[in-house]
């Protein structure tokens, strides 16, 4: 007898309902079970009534993936939720990796969402108009030395740099000092906390002055450090795409 179970790994976007995709909303409404980090589940109370909801704490990602698979094997349609996009430091890779390793054959759809880099940059202006690199500063899974090497290489490549998960202040400070050392000039820095949520804060500063705002930086803060062409006009942080090199406007 066929098992009609299915898994949907859903990106919730930055937080507010209007920034979920139409497909994400559809999947959440149709799912039998929703699994997620407790904080994320609070963001989707509009779709959880009448459903089985399985919450988990921080550092319980393996449990979330495991219970999602178990419920799908029972024939349920399960939505495993991540904030932003589930592929960007989210649950998609863990869930798929676990399924491959154990040989599970369950239909899986990854439903993309607006990741933090895009959400915060829209608040800042347009700092990601040219090549950029996103780097997570969480050293729970990746060694500190490896993270700092990536930061240095991104700075040397003159990428606009997006820093996710700036939880460790020593690691954040070390990363910003590397970027400052490489850049040698006061590049613009955008700091956005709680993007598209209550208590949102948007700050534009630079590499020389960012530490004045360090006390505001936490788990739901994302930093955007410009490249050598990024500039600030009014309250907008702008990275030119390169049209000015070829066209007169």
């Amino acid at each position: 007898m066929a098992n009609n179970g299915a898994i949907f790994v859903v990106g919730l976007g930055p937080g507010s309902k209007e920034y979920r995709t139409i497909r994400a909303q559809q999947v959440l409404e149709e799912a039998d079970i929703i699994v997620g980090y407790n904080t994320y589940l609070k963001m989707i109370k509009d779709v959880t009534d009448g459903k089985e909801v399985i919450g988990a704490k921080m550092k319980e990602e393996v449990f979330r993936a495991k219970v999602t698979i178990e419920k799908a094997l029972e024939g349920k349609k399960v939505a495993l939720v991540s904030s932003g996009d589930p592929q960007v430091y989210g649950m998609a890779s863990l869930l798929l990796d676990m399924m491959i390793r154990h040989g599970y054959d369950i239909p899986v759809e990854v439903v993309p969402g607006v990741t933090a880099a895009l959400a915060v940059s829209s608040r800042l202006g347009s700092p990601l108009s040219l090549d950029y690199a996103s780097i997570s500063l969480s050293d729970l899974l990746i060694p500190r030395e490896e993270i700092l090497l990536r930061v240095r290489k991104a700075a040397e490549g003159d990428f606009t740099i997006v820093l996710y998960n700036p939880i460790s202040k020593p690691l954040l400070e070390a990363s910003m000092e590397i970027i400052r050392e490489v850049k040698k000039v006061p590049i613009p820095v955008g700091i956005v906390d709680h993007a598209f949520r209550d208590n949102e804060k948007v700050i534009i500063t630079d590499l020389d002055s960012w530490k004045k705002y360090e006390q505001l930086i936490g788990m739901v803060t994302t930093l955007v450090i410009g490249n050598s062409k990024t500039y600030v006009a009014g309250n907008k942080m702008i990275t030119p795409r390169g049209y000015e090199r070829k066209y007169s406007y």
Side-chain angles (χ1 to χ4, degrees):
M1 186 174 177
N3 183 324
N4 293 320
I7 295 172
F8 303 88
V9 193
V10 184
L12 300 177
S16 52
K17 178 180 177 180
E18 60 266 29
Y19 286 95
R20 290 179 212 156
T21 67
I22 294 172
R23 179 58 178 160
Q25 186 69 18
Q26 179 185 40
V27 165
L28 293 171
E29 290 174 355
E30 294 177 356
D32 301 312
I33 301 171
I34 298 177
V35 180
Y37 174 44
N38 290 322
T39 299
Y40 303 156
L41 295 175
K42 292 176 184 176
M43 294 160 50
I44 55 171
K45 287 184 177 179
D46 58 295
V47 292
T48 57
D49 285 349
K51 298 183 186 295
E52 181 178 355
V53 177
I54 302 173
K57 296 179 290 186
M58 184 67 73
K59 301 183 183 179
E60 292 184 342
E61 292 85 359
V62 172
F63 164 75
R64 282 183 254 162
K66 182 179 179 182
V67 74
T68 295
I69 293 168
E70 290 173 350
K71 293 296 183 179
L73 289 172
E74 294 174 5
K76 305 292 187 180
K77 292 182 180 178
V78 189
L80 174 61
V81 300
S82 284
S83 65
D85 182 280
Q87 302 169 85
V88 184
Y89 315 119
M91 290 297 298
S93 65
L94 173 59
L95 183 282
L96 292 170
D97 190 37
M98 189 179 292
M99 290 182 62
I100 293 298
R101 289 172 185 267
H102 291 277
Y104 293 121
D105 184 17
I106 307 168
V108 177
E109 179 183 342
V110 178
V111 182
V114 178
T115 185
L118 305 181
V120 304
S121 293
S122 72
R123 289 307 206 206
L124 293 167
S126 187
L128 302 187
S129 298
L130 204 56
D131 305 321
Y132 69 93
S134 64
I135 300 172
S136 171
L137 295 187
S138 171
D139 57 357
L140 295 175
L141 301 174
I142 306 298
R144 169 189 170 93
E145 296 74 21
E146 190 173 325
I147 293 170
L148 292 177
L149 177 61
R150 290 175 181 173
V151 170
R152 181 172 295 278
K153 294 301 183 183
E156 290 173 350
D158 198 27
F159 291 95
T160 296
I161 301 172
V162 183
L163 297 179
Y164 282 70
N165 304 318
I167 303 167
S168 166
K169 292 300 172 65
L171 184 50
L172 172 61
E173 291 175 2
S175 298
M176 296 297 278
E177 185 55 36
I178 287 172
I179 298 170
R180 187 171 180 271
E181 171 194 321
V182 171
K183 298 292 188 181
K184 296 184 175 64
V185 291
I187 297 291
V189 173
I191 302 171
V192 182
D193 186 59
H194 286 84
F196 292 93
R197 304 183 199 180
D198 294 338
N199 304 315
E200 178 187 75
K201 294 181 179 65
V202 179
I203 296 161
I204 296 179
T205 179
D206 60 42
L207 280 173
D208 288 341
S209 304
W210 76 273
K211 286 193 74 174
K212 291 191 294 186
Y213 307 98
E214 190 173 12
Q215 74 278 6
L216 301 175
I217 297 172
M219 181 180 168
V220 289
T221 309
T222 306
L223 288 83
V224 180
I225 300 95
N227 70 13
S228 61
K229 300 291 193 298
T230 305
Y231 67 93
V232 176
N235 63 346
K236 301 297 183 186
M237 186 172 166
I238 303 162
T239 302
R241 174 76 189 279
Y243 289 103
E244 74 284 354
R245 300 181 184 187
K246 190 171 181 179
Y247 302 100
S248 174
Y249 62 89

